[in-house]
Amino acid sequence: MAHDERRLEVLRAIVQDFVSTNDPVGSKALAERHDLGVSPATIRNDMAVLEEQGYITQPHTSAGRVPTDKGYRLFVDRLSAVKPLSAAERRAIERFLDGAVDLHDVLGRTVRLLAQLTRQVAVVQYPALSRSAVRHLEVVQVAVGRLLLVLITDTGRVEQRVVDCPPDVDATAVPELRALLNAAFAGVKLAEAGDKVPVLLETAPLHLRGLVAAVSATLVETLVEPSEDRLVIGGTANLARGGGTDFSGTLRPLLEALEEQVVVLRLMSEVDAGTVLVRIGEENAHEALTGASLVTVGYGSGDRALGGLGVVGPTRMDYPGNMAAVRAVARYVGHLLAES
């Protein structure tokens, strides 16, 4: 058992040194830089065992070793604690995000902040409409025979649809329709709202049923078939830091996966509020991501994740620091949206 703990300490030291220097790590350097309490010969033996077990490997003919995906995974899984951000870093997060004026501004600031804190690519998912509730439905007559239907969710997301309606709509009917829709849908989860549309058609006052029928299809489209989720991405230039040597081959597949968003959105759908997920190298099923690591977490209020955010970068990354930054930013974004 003592041998296992010591080898884990050796692995931790190898990961820390390799992340810091990007140079393969040898036993002599480990003995000099870290107080491991054993001789370089013992460290060499421990490294031989770690290599045999697949946690480290020897690149080319170098005398040093580098962590494998399996080694990074053990390192992350055995972190005793994610190091907290400093008071200065926390204040920087608050100052940077406090000035945001709306949801788009919050998310735009968030990716810039994450990219700066971690020096990785930052990704933030717009709050998924399927996880949101209706805050307000606005109805405005914009022209003869045309209404604008605006859905505002409790996460600050806004969806707009234009609706054709009878040209002879009474001016007083529009505010009545607005009041009727909000009485029926305000506070209702979007996942449950679709079932209420047929009931509303049957129970609406007779003089409003024609107008309700006119907006019902658009209402279903807005509530039940929300627009495609999307990401805000920032800091892609960080991938090329150091000439892109952290990635084998070309960066093009990874950049295309980020641009298309579908793959990353699928991964974001698995996040939980407050739980940081780390996917390392080959753990990412999509080929374009097998040379990268993703650190993601859900943001929201309480245990309810409204969306996900995180960073994408090489497997040689500062996992404790990135996990701390992602978690701290997610908590603050959740608080902001809960207060909005």
Side-chain angles (χ1 to χ4, degrees):
M1 204 62 169
H3 291 169
D4 290 342
E5 286 302 316
R6 191 184 66 234
R7 286 169 190 147
L8 181 59
E9 288 303 311
V10 171
L11 176 63
R12 285 193 183 110
I14 292 170
V15 170
Q16 289 166 3
D17 282 7
F18 182 61
V19 168
S20 174
T21 68
N22 198 19
D23 290 323
V25 183
S27 57
K28 183 179 178 182
L30 287 178
E32 292 172 350
R33 294 173 187 162
H34 301 271
D35 183 16
L36 296 172
V38 293
S39 68
T42 301
I43 294 173
R44 278 195 297 275
N45 291 336
D46 287 339
M47 291 176 71
V49 173
L50 288 168
E51 186 170 11
E52 185 180 334
Q53 293 173 337
Y55 294 114
I56 59 176
T57 189
Q58 183 179 28
H60 313 300
T61 57
S62 164
R65 303 295 187 272
V66 300
T68 62
D69 289 355
K70 182 180 178 181
Y72 284 124
R73 169 48 61 194
L74 181 61
F75 171 78
V76 168
D77 288 346
R78 296 296 293 272
L79 284 175
S80 56
V82 175
K83 67 181 182 185
L85 296 185
S86 68
E89 288 172 321
R90 291 196 300 271
R91 284 195 298 272
I93 291 173
E94 292 177 12
R95 283 197 303 270
F96 199 82
L97 295 181
D98 268 350
V101 296
D102 57 21
L103 176 66
H104 305 291
D105 195 16
V106 168
L107 301 190
R109 287 169 181 251
T110 299
V111 291
R112 294 198 300 276
L113 175 64
L114 267 179
Q116 291 171 13
L117 286 174
T118 65
R119 300 182 70 203
Q120 309 295 343
V121 179
V123 291
V124 182
Q125 178 189 23
Y126 266 77
L129 284 177
S130 59
R131 300 174 187 166
S132 304
V134 178
R135 173 179 289 173
H136 182 72
L137 279 162
E138 186 60 55
V139 184
V140 181
Q141 187 162 11
V142 292
V144 175
R146 183 157 290 189
L147 300 176
L148 179 65
L149 179 67
V150 183
L151 165 68
I152 304 170
T153 72
D154 60 348
T155 57
R157 189 160 171 176
V158 178
E159 294 288 317
Q160 300 184 30
R161 301 284 190 277
V162 175
V163 184
D164 292 324
C165 65
D168 56 347
V169 171
D170 189 291
T172 61
V174 174
E176 286 186 74
L177 176 64
R178 182 189 308 122
L180 182 70
L181 294 179
N182 282 290
F185 295 105
V188 176
K189 303 285 189 203
L190 266 67
E192 305 165 2
D195 295 337
K196 292 183 172 290
V197 176
V199 176
L200 187 65
L201 277 168
E202 295 174 2
T203 59
L206 286 175
H207 69 288
L208 289 179
R209 286 191 186 178
L211 202 50
V212 171
V215 302
S216 62
T218 303
L219 201 55
V220 169
E221 176 189 327
T222 308
L223 297 172
V224 184
E225 301 173 7
S227 61
E228 182 182 4
D229 288 328
R230 54 197 171 105
L231 296 174
V232 187
I233 299 176
T236 52
N238 287 330
L239 290 175
R241 195 173 62 247
T245 55
D246 280 321
F247 298 91
S248 58
T250 176
L251 283 172
R252 182 174 178 178
L254 177 56
L255 290 170
E256 288 177 346
L258 290 169
E259 185 177 351
E260 291 170 5
Q261 302 195 359
V262 176
V263 176
V264 182
L265 278 168
R266 191 177 301 127
L267 295 174
M268 287 291 188
S269 68
E270 302 170 12
V271 297
D272 294 319
T275 302
V276 179
L277 297 178
V278 180
R279 297 177 181 84
I280 300 168
E282 297 289 341
E283 295 172 359
N284 295 301
H286 195 279
E287 185 179 355
L289 300 177
T290 54
S293 287
L294 283 81
V295 179
T296 56
V297 70
Y299 66 84
S301 54
D303 296 331
R304 176 176 161 231
L306 300 173
L309 60 79
V311 296
V312 181
T315 54
R316 188 186 72 88
M317 66 162 59
D318 174 14
Y319 290 98
N322 291 344
M323 291 166 71
V326 163
R327 185 174 63 180
V329 171
R331 285 177 176 171
Y332 203 78
V333 170
H335 292 324
L336 275 181
L337 295 182
E339 294 168 1
S340 62

